[in-house]
């Protein structure tokens, strides 16, 4: 458990992304998950560069991704990448 004295925004970000990964355990462990700024907002990036042969997200998995992202308040958009190449983008519905 994190010490209350070590609660920086960077630590919070790492904890939120670790929690996200635990909620979407179907994603390959080799997939990199991070957030990055896009204009005036932030998007969640899921990069399959280390496992491009595993890039496949079905409708149920997309629903689980959306629910996990919304429950953690991470962003309203997710980008799927293979390295620097964007292979998918999903705008999430806001409540």
């Amino acid at each position: 458990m994190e010490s209350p004295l070590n609660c920086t925004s960077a630590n919070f970000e790492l904890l939120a992304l670790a929690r996200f990964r635990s909620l979407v355990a179907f994603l390959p462990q080799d997939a990199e998950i991070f957030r990055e700024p896009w204009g005036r907002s932030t998007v969640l990036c899921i990069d399959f560069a280390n496992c491009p042969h595993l890039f496949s997200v079905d409708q149920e998995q997309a629903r689980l991704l959306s629910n996990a992202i919304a429950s953690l308040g991470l962003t309203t958009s997710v980008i799927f990448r293979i390295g620097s190449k964007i292979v998918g983008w999903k705008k999430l519905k806001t409540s």
Side-chain angles (χ1 to χ4, degrees):
M1 177 131 192
E2 282 289 317
S3 162
L5 300 175
N6 197 17
C7 291
T8 64
S9 60
N11 286 342
F12 180 75
E13 178 92 0
L14 292 174
L15 290 171
L17 292 176
R19 176 71 178 137
F20 173 74
R21 186 174 280 283
S22 74
L23 293 173
V24 292
F26 58 85
L27 288 177
Q29 286 300 309
D30 291 343
E32 186 180 357
I33 300 171
F34 57 96
R35 292 190 330 152
E36 72 179 24
W38 275 67
R40 295 183 196 154
S41 61
T42 302
V43 297
L44 183 72
C45 297
I46 303 173
D47 190 345
F48 291 86
N50 295 326
C51 50
H53 57 289
L54 297 176
F55 174 69
S56 174
V57 177
D58 63 30
Q59 191 171 10
E60 177 62 15
Q61 290 171 329
R63 186 185 65 76
L64 292 171
L65 281 171
S66 295
N67 289 343
I69 291 167
S71 73
L72 295 171
L74 292 173
T75 188
T76 58
S77 296
V78 62
I79 293 175
F80 300 95
R81 297 175 175 258
I82 297 178
S84 61
K85 181 180 177 186
I86 295 174
V87 293
W89 177 295
K90 173 122 174 100
K91 175 84 172 144
L92 306 175
K93 296 177 183 173
T94 55
S95 304

